[in-house]
Amino acid sequence: MKSHINSILIPTDFSDSSENALGVGIAIAKRQNASITLLHVVDRYVYLQPHEVFIPEIKIMPDINYMIEFRLKEFSESLAKITGLDIKGKVLNGQPFEQICQLSFNEKTDLIVMGTHGTSGSRGLFMGSEAYRVVKNASCPVLTIPGNWKNKGFKKVLFPIRLIPGALEKYFYARPIIEKNHSEIFILGLTDLKNTHSTKDLISLIEKLKNQLKNDNIKFQTSYCPDDDFPKEVSKTAKLLEVDLIILTANIDPDWKSYIIGPFVKQVINHAQVPVLSIKPANRQNEEPLSAKLIGKWGRSAKISVKKKGTDK
């Protein structure tokens, strides 16, 4: 299990939301002594004006890329001097979530830190849906930061536990952040009202986590919540406890509960007023983004909405 964060990818569209995410990412990088890659994705639909929609993309992209690359290079160098961190800037063209996930996979990034909302308009770079696409497709954990979030540390962490594969793995991937922040963990056992016989298994699962937390000298509290609306309960508990971070497992269920997984993660991210760390199980950490597979097989016309059996795509 990974016990240290060496590299962080921070997508930026120069908005207030991405600036807040950058502040959190820098704070994590300092605690972990990690390198940072700042990524800006040039989406032609954002930069084209309505009357330019039929102008070939190739005629305008070079000028846009040069301008942004120059700006990002200056910004990265300035940040590196101020923070003492290894920071580089990179500009790519295409669909934002595709390029973010592909770069993360290619460079074996340990963590993506990004805002959940970005510039205004119908195709802002980091709308909620765009952030969720990154969570679903990224091969590494993704930390999403609400637009108004200012804190840089994570003293209180909400840890919802459900009976799904990889439920405890997320702790080991989050442990570097938890240890460096000296966080207190609030374990929330989520049991389905319609499937109460699973409560015993959930208690057993949480006992394993508690033993690990004791071994790691991590402070924790535990509570259980039988409910049929997990996202609502997580959001309510996060607000009640005034936590600084929510940790989720972003995966699928192989059984009848699979229909709740996508909406569960998406609803928590969309409604959370605090950062959310989404972690995939270990067996999906090294998967290449689905979009890259489709593009390689069928070319640029491939539709990302195509589903692959057995994945949460």
Side-chain angles (χ1 to χ4, degrees):
M1 293 290 183
K2 183 174 289 295
S3 60
H4 188 74
I5 297 173
N6 296 306
S7 58
I8 300 174
L9 174 61
I10 306 178
T12 178
D13 61 356
F14 308 109
S15 67
D16 291 341
S17 178
S18 61
E19 183 178 339
N20 290 339
L22 176 60
V24 174
I26 288 174
I28 295 173
K30 285 182 176 180
R31 289 190 289 265
Q32 300 289 330
N33 193 26
S35 63
I36 292 177
T37 297
L38 296 179
L39 171 65
H40 181 84
V41 181
V42 179
D43 185 342
R44 66 182 182 274
Y45 293 106
V46 173
Y47 290 96
L48 279 171
Q49 298 300 316
H51 65 277
E52 296 172 326
V53 71
F54 296 109
I55 297 177
E57 176 184 343
I58 193 171
K59 291 184 178 180
I60 65 167
M61 280 302 183
D63 290 339
I64 292 175
N65 279 28
Y66 177 80
M67 177 182 66
I68 296 176
E69 284 173 358
F70 180 78
R71 179 181 177 185
L72 197 56
K73 183 174 183 294
E74 280 194 329
F75 184 53
S76 300
E77 291 176 350
S78 175
L79 276 180
K81 290 180 180 179
I82 294 172
T83 62
L85 296 170
D86 178 9
I87 302 177
K88 65 178 180 180
K90 195 172 186 66
V91 178
L92 296 174
N93 297 325
Q95 183 75 18
F97 87 91
E98 287 182 25
Q99 298 301 325
I100 293 167
C101 294
Q102 189 62 55
L103 180 64
S104 172
F105 175 79
N106 291 343
E107 298 194 350
K108 296 180 173 58
T109 302
D110 295 323
L111 177 68
I112 297 173
V113 180
M114 65 183 296
T116 54
H117 295 81
T119 54
S120 59
S122 60
R123 287 188 62 86
L125 179 55
F126 298 133
M127 304 306 288
S129 59
E130 198 75 14
Y132 184 59
R133 291 187 186 105
V134 173
V135 171
K136 287 181 68 176
N137 287 276
S139 57
C140 69
V142 180
L143 178 63
T144 47
I145 310 297
N148 60 350
W149 187 255
K150 301 297 182 182
N151 294 354
K152 302 297 189 296
F154 308 112
K155 295 300 182 183
K156 296 182 179 180
V157 176
L158 179 61
F159 205 93
I161 295 289
R162 298 171 291 155
L163 280 177
I164 59 175
L168 297 187
E169 291 175 6
K170 61 183 176 180
Y171 166 70
F172 294 99
Y173 284 96
R175 186 164 60 181
I177 293 177
I178 292 170
E179 290 179 338
K180 292 293 184 178
N181 283 271
H182 304 289
S183 307
E184 181 178 5
I185 305 299
F186 294 88
I187 304 170
L188 178 64
L190 297 172
T191 59
D192 193 337
L193 285 174
K194 299 177 182 178
N195 190 23
T196 54
H197 69 273
S198 64
T199 302
K200 183 178 179 180
D201 293 330
L202 180 67
I203 292 174
S204 176
L205 187 66
I206 290 178
E207 284 301 314
K208 293 180 181 178
L209 174 59
K210 289 165 64 176
N211 289 334
Q212 184 63 53
L213 291 171
K214 289 176 184 178
N215 290 336
D216 293 338
N217 295 315
I218 304 294
K219 292 174 58 179
F220 67 88
Q221 298 181 36
T222 307
S223 63
Y224 293 87
C225 176
D227 205 328
D228 55 5
D229 191 342
F230 290 170
K232 181 180 178 181
E233 189 60 36
V234 170
S235 299
K236 183 176 72 175
T237 304
K239 185 175 182 180
L240 178 66
L241 297 176
E242 297 182 334
V243 301
D244 306 302
L245 178 67
I246 300 172
I247 300 177
L248 301 177
T249 299
N251 73 333
I252 61 171
D253 265 338
D255 58 12
W256 62 272
K257 296 189 292 295
S258 61
Y259 74 94
I260 70 170
I261 299 305
F264 172 78
V265 176
K266 187 173 184 178
Q267 287 178 43
V268 172
I269 292 175
N270 283 348
H271 294 96
Q273 298 179 12
V274 302
V276 177
L277 179 62
S278 303
I279 304 173
K280 291 182 179 180
N283 62 357
R284 297 190 63 199
Q285 289 284 328
N286 296 318
E287 287 186 0
E288 186 171 10
L290 177 61
S291 57
K293 296 178 183 179
L294 295 179
I295 290 168
K297 186 174 181 179
W298 292 305
R300 289 297 309 179
S301 62
K303 294 182 178 179
I304 307 306
S305 60
V306 175
K307 293 184 178 180
K308 180 180 176 182
K309 185 178 180 181
T311 63
D312 187 23
K313 302 287 192 270

Coordinates of all heavy atoms in Angstrom, one line a residue, residues 259-297:
Y259 N -26.3 -0.2 -8.3 CA -27.0 1.0 -8.8 C -26.8 2.3 -8.0 O -27.0 3.4 -8.4 CB -28.5 0.7 -9.0 CG -29.3 0.7 -7.7 CD1 -29.9 1.9 -7.3 CD2 -29.4 -0.4 -7.0 CE1 -30.6 1.9 -6.1 CE2 -30.1 -0.5 -5.8 CZ -30.7 0.7 -5.4 OH -31.4 0.7 -4.2
I260 N -26.4 2.1 -6.7 CA -26.3 3.3 -5.8 C -24.9 3.9 -5.8 O -24.8 5.0 -5.3 CB -26.7 2.9 -4.4 CG1 -25.6 2.0 -3.7 CG2 -28.0 2.3 -4.2 CD1 -25.7 1.9 -2.2
I261 N -23.9 3.2 -6.4 CA -22.6 3.6 -6.2 C -22.3 4.9 -7.0 O -21.8 5.9 -6.4 CB -21.6 2.5 -6.6 CG1 -21.8 1.3 -5.7 CG2 -20.1 3.0 -6.5 CD1 -21.7 1.6 -4.2
G262 N -22.6 5.0 -8.2 CA -22.3 6.2 -9.0 C -23.0 7.4 -8.4 O -22.3 8.4 -8.1
P263 N -24.3 7.3 -8.2 CA -25.0 8.5 -7.6 C -24.5 8.8 -6.2 O -24.5 10.0 -5.8 CB -26.5 8.0 -7.6 CG -26.6 7.0 -8.7 CD -25.2 6.3 -8.7
F264 N -24.1 7.8 -5.4 CA -23.6 8.1 -4.1 C -22.4 9.0 -4.1 O -22.4 10.1 -3.5 CB -23.2 6.8 -3.4 CG -22.6 7.0 -2.0 CD1 -23.3 7.3 -0.9 CD2 -21.2 6.9 -1.9 CE1 -22.7 7.5 0.3 CE2 -20.6 7.1 -0.7 CZ -21.3 7.4 0.4
V265 N -21.4 8.7 -4.8 CA -20.2 9.5 -4.9 C -20.5 10.8 -5.5 O -20.1 11.9 -5.0 CB -19.1 8.8 -5.7 CG1 -17.9 9.7 -5.9 CG2 -18.7 7.5 -5.1
K266 N -21.3 10.8 -6.6 CA -21.6 12.1 -7.3 C -22.4 13.0 -6.4 O -22.0 14.2 -6.3 CB -22.3 11.8 -8.6 CG -22.6 13.0 -9.4 CD -23.2 12.7 -10.8 CE -23.3 13.9 -11.7 NZ -23.9 13.6 -13.0
Q267 N -23.3 12.5 -5.7 CA -24.2 13.4 -4.8 C -23.3 14.0 -3.7 O -23.5 15.1 -3.3 CB -25.4 12.6 -4.3 CG -26.4 12.3 -5.3 CD -27.6 11.5 -4.8 OE1 -28.0 11.7 -3.7 NE2 -28.0 10.5 -5.5
V268 N -22.5 13.2 -3.1 CA -21.6 13.7 -2.0 C -20.7 14.8 -2.5 O -20.6 15.8 -1.9 CB -20.8 12.5 -1.4 CG1 -19.8 13.1 -0.4 CG2 -21.7 11.5 -0.7
I269 N -20.1 14.5 -3.7 CA -19.2 15.6 -4.2 C -19.9 16.8 -4.5 O -19.5 17.9 -4.2 CB -18.4 15.0 -5.5 CG1 -17.5 13.9 -5.1 CG2 -17.7 16.2 -6.2 CD1 -16.8 13.3 -6.2
N270 N -21.1 16.7 -5.2 CA -21.8 17.9 -5.6 C -22.4 18.7 -4.5 O -22.5 19.9 -4.6 CB -23.0 17.5 -6.5 CG -22.5 17.1 -7.9 OD1 -21.4 17.4 -8.3 ND2 -23.4 16.5 -8.7
H271 N -22.7 18.0 -3.3 CA -23.3 18.8 -2.2 C -22.4 19.0 -1.1 O -22.7 19.8 -0.2 CB -24.5 18.0 -1.7 CG -25.6 17.9 -2.7 ND1 -25.8 16.8 -3.6 CD2 -26.6 18.7 -3.1 CE1 -26.8 17.0 -4.4 NE2 -27.4 18.1 -4.1
A272 N -21.2 18.5 -1.1 CA -20.2 18.6 0.0 C -19.8 20.1 0.1 O -19.4 20.7 -0.9 CB -19.1 17.7 -0.1
Q273 N -19.7 20.6 1.3 CA -19.2 21.9 1.5 C -17.7 21.9 2.0 O -17.1 22.9 2.4 CB -20.0 22.7 2.5 CG -21.5 22.9 2.0 CD -22.3 23.6 3.1 OE1 -21.8 24.1 4.0 NE2 -23.6 23.6 2.8
V274 N -17.2 20.6 2.0 CA -15.8 20.4 2.4 C -15.1 19.6 1.3 O -15.8 19.0 0.5 CB -15.7 19.7 3.7 CG1 -16.4 20.5 4.8 CG2 -16.3 18.3 3.7
P275 N -13.8 19.5 1.3 CA -13.1 18.6 0.3 C -13.5 17.2 0.4 O -13.8 16.7 1.5 CB -11.6 18.8 0.7 CG -11.5 20.2 1.3 CD -12.8 20.3 2.1
V276 N -13.5 16.5 -0.7 CA -13.8 15.1 -0.8 C -12.6 14.3 -1.4 O -12.3 14.7 -2.5 CB -15.1 14.8 -1.5 CG1 -15.4 13.3 -1.6 CG2 -16.3 15.5 -0.9
L277 N -12.1 13.3 -0.8 CA -11.0 12.5 -1.3 C -11.7 11.2 -1.8 O -12.2 10.4 -1.0 CB -10.0 12.2 -0.3 CG -8.8 11.3 -0.7 CD1 -8.0 12.0 -1.9 CD2 -7.9 11.0 0.4
S278 N -11.7 11.0 -3.1 CA -12.3 9.8 -3.7 C -11.1 8.8 -4.1 O -10.2 9.2 -4.9 CB -13.1 10.1 -5.0 OG -14.1 11.1 -4.6
I279 N -11.2 7.6 -3.6 CA -10.2 6.6 -3.8 C -10.7 5.3 -4.4 O -11.7 4.8 -4.0 CB -9.5 6.3 -2.5 CG1 -8.9 7.5 -1.8 CG2 -8.3 5.3 -2.7 CD1 -8.4 7.3 -0.4
K280 N -10.1 4.9 -5.5 CA -10.5 3.6 -6.1 C -9.8 2.4 -5.4 O -8.7 2.6 -4.8 CB -10.1 3.6 -7.6 CG -10.9 4.6 -8.4 CD -10.5 4.4 -9.9 CE -11.4 5.4 -10.7 NZ -11.0 5.3 -12.2
P281 N -10.4 1.2 -5.5 CA -9.7 0.0 -5.0 C -8.4 -0.2 -5.7 O -8.2 0.3 -6.8 CB -10.7 -1.1 -5.3 CG -12.0 -0.4 -5.5 CD -11.7 0.9 -6.1
A282 N -7.5 -0.9 -5.0 CA -6.2 -1.2 -5.6 C -6.2 -1.8 -6.9 O -5.4 -1.5 -7.8 CB -5.4 -2.0 -4.6
N283 N -7.2 -2.7 -7.2 CA -7.2 -3.4 -8.5 C -7.6 -2.5 -9.6 O -7.6 -2.9 -10.8 CB -8.1 -4.6 -8.4 CG -9.6 -4.2 -8.2 OD1 -9.9 -3.1 -7.9 ND2 -10.4 -5.2 -8.2
R284 N -7.9 -1.2 -9.4 CA -8.2 -0.3 -10.4 C -7.3 0.9 -10.5 O -7.4 1.8 -11.3 CB -9.7 0.3 -10.3 CG -10.7 -0.8 -10.3 CD -12.1 -0.2 -10.4 NE -12.3 0.6 -11.6 CZ -13.2 1.5 -11.7 NH1 -14.0 1.8 -10.7 NH2 -13.3 2.2 -12.9
Q285 N -6.3 0.9 -9.6 CA -5.4 2.0 -9.5 C -4.5 2.1 -10.7 O -4.0 3.2 -11.1 CB -4.5 1.9 -8.3 CG -5.2 2.1 -6.9 CD -5.4 3.5 -6.7 OE1 -4.7 4.4 -7.1 NE2 -6.5 3.8 -6.0
N286 N -4.2 1.0 -11.4 CA -3.3 1.1 -12.6 C -4.0 1.0 -13.9 O -3.4 0.7 -14.9 CB -2.3 -0.1 -12.4 CG -1.4 0.1 -11.2 OD1 -0.9 1.2 -10.9 ND2 -1.1 -1.0 -10.5
E287 N -5.3 1.1 -13.9 CA -6.1 1.1 -15.1 C -5.9 2.3 -15.9 O -6.0 3.4 -15.4 CB -7.6 0.9 -14.8 CG -7.9 -0.5 -14.4 CD -9.4 -0.7 -14.2 OE1 -10.2 0.3 -14.5 OE2 -9.9 -1.8 -13.9
E288 N -5.7 2.2 -17.2 CA -5.6 3.3 -18.1 C -7.0 3.9 -18.3 O -8.0 3.1 -18.3 CB -5.1 2.9 -19.5 CG -4.8 4.1 -20.4 CD -4.1 3.7 -21.7 OE1 -3.9 2.5 -21.9 OE2 -3.7 4.7 -22.4
P289 N -7.2 5.2 -18.4 CA -8.5 5.8 -18.5 C -9.3 5.2 -19.7 O -8.7 5.0 -20.7 CB -8.2 7.3 -18.7 CG -6.9 7.5 -18.1 CD -6.1 6.2 -18.3
L290 N -10.5 5.0 -19.5 CA -11.4 4.3 -20.5 C -11.3 5.2 -21.8 O -11.3 4.6 -22.9 CB -12.8 4.2 -20.0 CG -13.8 3.6 -21.1 CD1 -13.4 2.2 -21.5 CD2 -15.2 3.6 -20.5
S291 N -11.3 6.5 -21.7 CA -11.3 7.3 -22.9 C -10.1 7.1 -23.8 O -10.3 7.0 -25.0 CB -11.4 8.8 -22.5 OG -10.2 9.1 -21.7
A292 N -9.0 6.8 -23.2 CA -7.8 6.6 -24.0 C -7.9 5.2 -24.7 O -7.4 5.1 -25.8 CB -6.5 6.6 -23.1
K293 N -8.5 4.2 -24.0 CA -8.6 2.9 -24.7 C -9.6 3.0 -25.9 O -9.3 2.5 -26.9 CB -9.2 1.9 -23.7 CG -8.3 1.7 -22.5 CD -9.0 0.7 -21.5 CE -8.2 0.5 -20.3 NZ -8.9 -0.4 -19.3
L294 N -10.7 3.8 -25.7 CA -11.6 3.9 -26.8 C -11.0 4.7 -28.0 O -11.2 4.3 -29.2 CB -12.9 4.6 -26.4 CG -13.7 3.8 -25.3 CD1 -14.9 4.7 -24.9 CD2 -14.1 2.5 -25.9
I295 N -10.3 5.7 -27.7 CA -9.6 6.5 -28.7 C -8.6 5.7 -29.5 O -8.5 5.8 -30.7 CB -9.0 7.8 -28.1 CG1 -10.1 8.8 -27.6 CG2 -8.1 8.5 -29.1 CD1 -9.6 9.9 -26.7
G296 N -7.9 4.9 -28.8 CA -6.8 4.1 -29.4 C -7.5 3.1 -30.3 O -6.9 2.7 -31.3
K297 N -8.6 2.6 -30.0 CA -9.3 1.5 -30.7 C -10.1 2.0 -31.9 O -10.1 1.5 -33.0 CB -10.2 0.7 -29.8 CG -10.8 -0.6 -30.4 CD -11.5 -1.4 -29.4 CE -12.1 -2.6 -30.0 NZ -12.8 -3.5 -29.1

